[in-house]
Coordinates of all heavy atoms in Angstrom, one line a residue:
T11 N 9.3 -20.4 14.0 CA 10.7 -20.1 13.8 C 10.8 -18.8 12.9 O 10.2 -18.8 11.8 CB 11.5 -21.2 13.2 OG1 11.4 -22.4 14.0 CG2 12.9 -20.9 13.0
S18 N 16.2 -11.2 -2.6 CA 15.9 -12.1 -3.7 C 15.1 -13.3 -3.2 O 14.2 -13.7 -3.9 CB 17.2 -12.6 -4.3 OG 18.0 -13.4 -3.4
D29 N -2.3 -11.6 0.4 CA -2.4 -10.3 1.0 C -1.1 -9.5 0.8 O -0.8 -8.6 1.6 CB -2.7 -10.4 2.5 CG -1.7 -11.2 3.3 OD1 -1.0 -12.0 2.7 OD2 -1.7 -11.1 4.5
P36 N 10.5 -5.7 -2.5 CA 11.8 -5.2 -2.3 C 12.2 -3.9 -2.9 O 12.8 -3.1 -2.2 CB 12.7 -6.4 -2.9 CG 11.8 -7.6 -2.8 CD 10.4 -7.1 -3.0
A63 N 4.4 -16.9 7.5 CA 4.3 -15.4 7.3 C 5.6 -14.9 6.7 O 6.7 -15.5 6.8 CB 4.0 -14.8 8.6
V74 N 24.5 5.9 18.5 CA 25.1 5.5 19.7 C 24.3 4.6 20.6 O 24.8 3.5 21.0 CB 25.4 6.8 20.6 CG1 26.2 6.4 21.9 CG2 26.2 7.8 19.8
G76 N 21.7 2.6 20.0 CA 21.4 1.3 19.5 C 20.0 1.0 19.3 O 19.6 0.1 18.5
H84 N 2.0 -2.1 5.9 CA 1.0 -3.0 5.2 C 1.4 -4.5 5.3 O 1.4 -5.2 4.3 CB 0.7 -2.5 3.8 CG -0.2 -1.3 3.8 ND1 -1.1 -1.1 2.8 CD2 -0.3 -0.3 4.6 CE1 -1.7 0.1 3.0 NE2 -1.2 0.6 4.1
I121 N 3.6 -1.5 13.5 CA 3.0 -2.2 12.4 C 1.8 -1.4 11.9 O 0.8 -1.2 12.6 CB 2.6 -3.6 12.8 CG1 3.8 -4.4 13.2 CG2 1.9 -4.3 11.6 CD1 3.6 -5.8 13.6
A127 N -10.7 -6.8 5.3 CA -12.1 -6.7 5.1 C -12.8 -6.3 6.4 O -12.3 -6.6 7.5 CB -12.7 -8.0 4.6
T133 N -11.3 -9.0 14.5 CA -10.3 -10.1 14.8 C -8.9 -9.6 14.8 O -8.1 -10.0 15.6 CB -10.5 -11.1 13.7 OG1 -11.8 -11.6 13.7 CG2 -9.6 -12.3 13.9
A144 N -0.1 -1.8 21.5 CA -1.0 -0.7 21.8 C -1.3 0.0 20.5 O -0.4 0.2 19.6 CB -0.4 0.2 22.8
V164 N -20.8 -5.6 -15.7 CA -21.4 -5.4 -14.3 C -20.7 -4.3 -13.6 O -21.4 -3.5 -12.9 CB -21.4 -6.8 -13.5 CG1 -21.9 -6.6 -12.1 CG2 -22.1 -7.9 -14.3
N168 N -22.3 -0.8 -12.1 CA -22.1 -0.4 -10.7 C -21.6 1.0 -10.5 O -21.6 1.6 -9.4 CB -21.1 -1.4 -9.9 CG -21.7 -2.7 -9.8 OD1 -22.9 -2.9 -9.8 ND2 -20.9 -3.7 -9.5
G180 N -16.0 10.7 -22.2 CA -14.6 10.5 -22.5 C -14.3 9.5 -23.6 O -13.4 9.7 -24.4
G183 N -14.5 10.6 -27.3 CA -13.5 11.4 -27.8 C -12.4 10.5 -28.5 O -12.6 9.3 -28.7
L202 N 2.9 16.8 -15.1 CA 1.5 16.8 -14.8 C 1.2 16.8 -13.3 O 0.4 17.6 -12.8 CB 0.7 15.7 -15.5 CG 0.3 15.8 -16.9 CD1 1.4 16.0 -17.9 CD2 -0.6 14.6 -17.3
K210 N -2.7 22.7 -6.1 CA -3.4 22.3 -4.9 C -2.6 22.6 -3.6 O -3.1 22.5 -2.5 CB -3.6 20.8 -4.9 CG -4.6 20.3 -6.0 CD -6.0 20.7 -5.8 CE -6.9 20.1 -6.9 NZ -8.3 20.6 -6.7
V236 N 2.7 2.7 -15.4 CA 2.1 4.0 -15.7 C 1.3 4.0 -16.9 O 1.6 3.4 -17.9 CB 3.2 5.1 -15.9 CG1 4.2 4.8 -16.9 CG2 2.6 6.5 -16.1
W240 N -3.6 10.3 -24.1 CA -3.1 11.2 -25.1 C -4.3 11.6 -26.0 O -5.2 10.9 -26.3 CB -2.1 10.5 -26.1 CG -0.9 9.9 -25.4 CD1 -0.8 8.7 -24.7 CD2 0.4 10.5 -25.3 NE1 0.4 8.5 -24.2 CE2 1.2 9.6 -24.5 CE3 0.9 11.7 -25.7 CZ2 2.5 9.9 -24.2 CZ3 2.2 12.0 -25.4 CH2 3.0 11.1 -24.7
D256 N -3.2 -9.8 -4.7 CA -4.5 -9.8 -5.3 C -5.1 -8.5 -5.5 O -6.3 -8.3 -5.8 CB -5.4 -10.7 -4.5 CG -5.8 -10.1 -3.2 OD1 -5.2 -9.1 -2.8 OD2 -6.7 -10.7 -2.5
T257 N -4.3 -7.4 -5.3 CA -4.9 -6.0 -5.2 C -4.1 -5.1 -6.1 O -2.9 -4.9 -6.0 CB -4.9 -5.5 -3.8 OG1 -5.6 -6.4 -3.0 CG2 -5.6 -4.1 -3.7
A281 N -9.5 2.1 -17.9 CA -8.4 1.2 -18.5 C -7.7 0.5 -17.5 O -7.3 -0.7 -17.7 CB -7.5 2.2 -19.3
V282 N -7.4 1.1 -16.3 CA -6.7 0.4 -15.2 C -7.5 -0.7 -14.7 O -7.0 -1.8 -14.4 CB -6.4 1.5 -14.1 CG1 -6.0 0.7 -12.8 CG2 -5.3 2.4 -14.6
K287 N -8.0 -6.6 -14.1 CA -8.8 -7.8 -14.3 C -8.0 -8.8 -15.2 O -8.0 -10.0 -14.9 CB -10.1 -7.5 -14.9 CG -11.2 -7.0 -13.9 CD -12.5 -6.9 -14.5 CE -13.1 -8.2 -14.9 NZ -13.4 -9.2 -13.8
A319 N -13.4 1.3 2.9 CA -12.6 0.4 3.7 C -11.7 1.2 4.6 O -11.1 2.2 4.1 CB -11.8 -0.6 2.9
I324 N -2.0 2.4 13.3 CA -0.7 1.8 13.6 C -0.7 1.2 15.0 O -1.1 1.9 16.0 CB 0.4 2.8 13.4 CG1 0.5 3.1 11.9 CG2 1.7 2.2 13.9 CD1 1.5 4.2 11.6
A335 N 11.9 4.8 26.9 CA 12.0 6.2 27.3 C 12.9 6.9 26.3 O 12.7 8.1 26.0 CB 12.5 6.3 28.7
A340 N 13.4 10.9 22.1 CA 14.0 11.3 20.8 C 12.9 11.7 19.8 O 13.1 12.7 19.1 CB 14.7 10.1 20.2

Side-chain angles (χ1 to χ4, degrees):
T11 300
S18 62
D29 60 342
V74 182
H84 283 215
I121 299 180
T133 301
V164 175
N168 290 340
L202 273 65
K210 298 290 186 180
V236 57
W240 302 84
D256 69 350
T257 305
V282 167
K287 280 186 65 65
I324 292 174

